[in-house]
Amino acid sequence: MADSESAVTTPGDLAGRLDAAGYLADEGLATAAFLALRMGRPLFLEGEAGVGKTSLAQALAEVLGAPLIRLQCYEGVDAAQALYDWDFPRQLLHLRAAEAAGVTDVDRLEHELYDRRFLLARPLLRALETTPSVLLVDEVDRADDEFEAFLLEVLSDFTISIPELGTVRAETPPVVVVTSNRTREVHDALKRRCLYHWLAHPTFEREVAVIRRRLPGVSERLAEDVAHAVQRLRTADLLKPPGLAESIDWVTALTALGATELSPDLATRTLGAVLKYQEDTERIMGEVAELVGRP
């Protein structure tokens, strides 16, 4: 365990440090993150988009004084894009230079071509070679089953085998945060390897607190108006209910217009900051007055 991790003594201590880094973690999330650090286990965060999963990894990196290394998952991502690849253009240039210099020793050339200097380290290899580090495996639900199985193998022992160079083993395993928006179910085998935490949409009070923390210049009235409106939007029958990220975007947009409170006219003109589907905008447009009214 790295010194910075050992210095975090309790979940409350971690919550305070995350707070200082601009991230407000509730008791459950702070406890899950603390246990992940203490036990050396990956933290699997699942929840709707925009609830703060990626932001937690960023805040943990700041708290631990470690670089954040991000592996963005997507359909079709494979081991070469996640682990390492060989720099073929540089290898070819080296081969041509050797031939021009009259080098004919085939074994020597082959050994030189697969030297470490020609290896392109992708996120997983970089995380294993960087101590300390925070590895963010973002939106793992977008990757396919084969990649998920491969990822499980890497996270089990934090080693990578490179046939031409040998085995790379992490001197100190990275702190790992795995996120999922639950567009599909992630296999139990990967979840069992991790500590699991469901990140829900925040309560009204917490949403106001986060908005004011992220945007300290915003008026309390505007933060509360937007939080009330977004809480109502989440109960509507929308294709994509807004997350905390959209709340912050909405307040930012309103502040740019000089607003200190949310009115029906302003809400109508800025719905694009919080709703991302035309069907949702049409669904809400006739209810804007009720949306912005205070309870």
Side-chain angles (χ1 to χ4, degrees):
M1 181 182 295
D3 292 342
S4 54
E5 296 172 39
S6 301
V8 179
T9 56
T10 64
D13 177 26
L14 179 58
R17 296 180 187 221
L18 289 171
D19 189 352
Y23 189 95
L24 295 177
D26 61 24
E27 185 177 19
L29 179 57
T31 300
F34 171 77
L35 290 175
L37 294 178
R38 182 57 60 90
M39 298 168 63
R41 299 277 294 278
L43 177 61
F44 189 101
L45 297 177
E46 201 164 42
E48 300 288 343
V51 294
K53 303 184 296 295
T54 299
S55 297
L56 176 66
Q58 295 167 338
L60 276 174
E62 183 173 340
V63 167
L64 300 174
L68 177 68
I69 299 173
R70 180 174 182 171
L71 170 60
Q72 178 63 53
C73 297
Y74 53 88
E75 186 177 355
V77 64
D78 59 22
Q81 293 156 323
L83 279 178
Y84 67 88
D85 205 353
W86 291 102
D87 191 341
F88 295 116
R90 286 190 64 205
Q91 287 176 313
L92 184 58
L93 286 174
H94 179 77
L95 183 60
R96 288 175 177 171
E99 289 175 344
V103 177
T104 58
D105 188 333
V106 176
D107 290 338
R108 173 188 164 187
L109 272 177
E110 183 176 356
H111 179 74
E112 290 179 350
L113 285 175
Y114 290 99
D115 186 75
R116 181 63 178 81
R117 60 185 163 146
F118 295 119
L119 190 71
L120 298 173
R122 303 305 187 193
L124 291 180
L125 179 58
R126 290 208 315 272
L128 265 59
E129 292 184 322
T130 305
T131 301
S133 66
V134 174
L135 171 64
L136 169 61
V137 182
D138 216 5
E139 298 182 326
V140 70
D141 52 316
R142 295 184 181 275
D144 56 29
D145 292 349
E146 290 76 12
F147 182 79
E148 195 178 312
F150 152 76
L151 183 64
L152 176 64
E153 182 179 352
V154 173
L155 296 182
S156 294
D157 54 14
F158 294 103
T159 62
I160 292 173
S161 178
I162 303 175
E164 298 85 354
L165 296 177
T167 299
V168 177
R169 179 173 285 102
E171 179 182 334
T172 300
V175 174
V176 181
V177 177
V178 182
T179 76
S180 167
N181 294 337
R182 210 172 189 178
T183 58
R184 71 168 177 86
E185 285 296 329
V186 174
H187 289 191
D188 288 343
L190 181 58
K191 286 186 175 181
R192 283 197 302 269
R193 179 69 185 82
C194 306
L195 294 177
Y196 177 86
H197 187 80
W198 172 264
L199 216 57
H201 289 298
T203 63
F204 167 74
E205 292 78 10
R206 190 165 199 80
E207 191 142 17
V208 171
V210 172
I211 290 171
R212 300 203 71 196
R213 174 57 57 85
R214 293 289 297 275
L215 304 170
V218 71
S219 70
E220 183 175 0
R221 172 64 186 260
L222 183 58
E224 291 181 352
D225 283 354
V226 168
H228 275 303
V230 171
Q231 294 279 327
R232 287 169 176 159
L233 285 171
R234 291 181 188 136
T235 65
D237 186 21
L238 300 180
L239 293 174
K240 171 62 177 68
L244 183 56
E246 283 74 34
S247 298
I248 294 169
D249 284 346
W250 202 5
V251 174
T252 302
L254 290 163
T255 302
L257 294 175
T260 57
E261 60 183 278
L262 183 63
S263 67
D265 175 62
L266 280 170
T268 300
R269 288 192 285 139
T270 57
L271 276 178
V274 69
L275 299 179
K276 307 302 181 180
Y277 288 89
Q278 176 60 22
E279 295 89 338
D280 289 344
T281 301
E282 292 175 351
R283 161 80 176 77
I284 294 300
M285 196 61 76
E287 305 174 9
V288 169
E290 293 79 6
L291 181 70
V292 303
R294 287 207 165 201

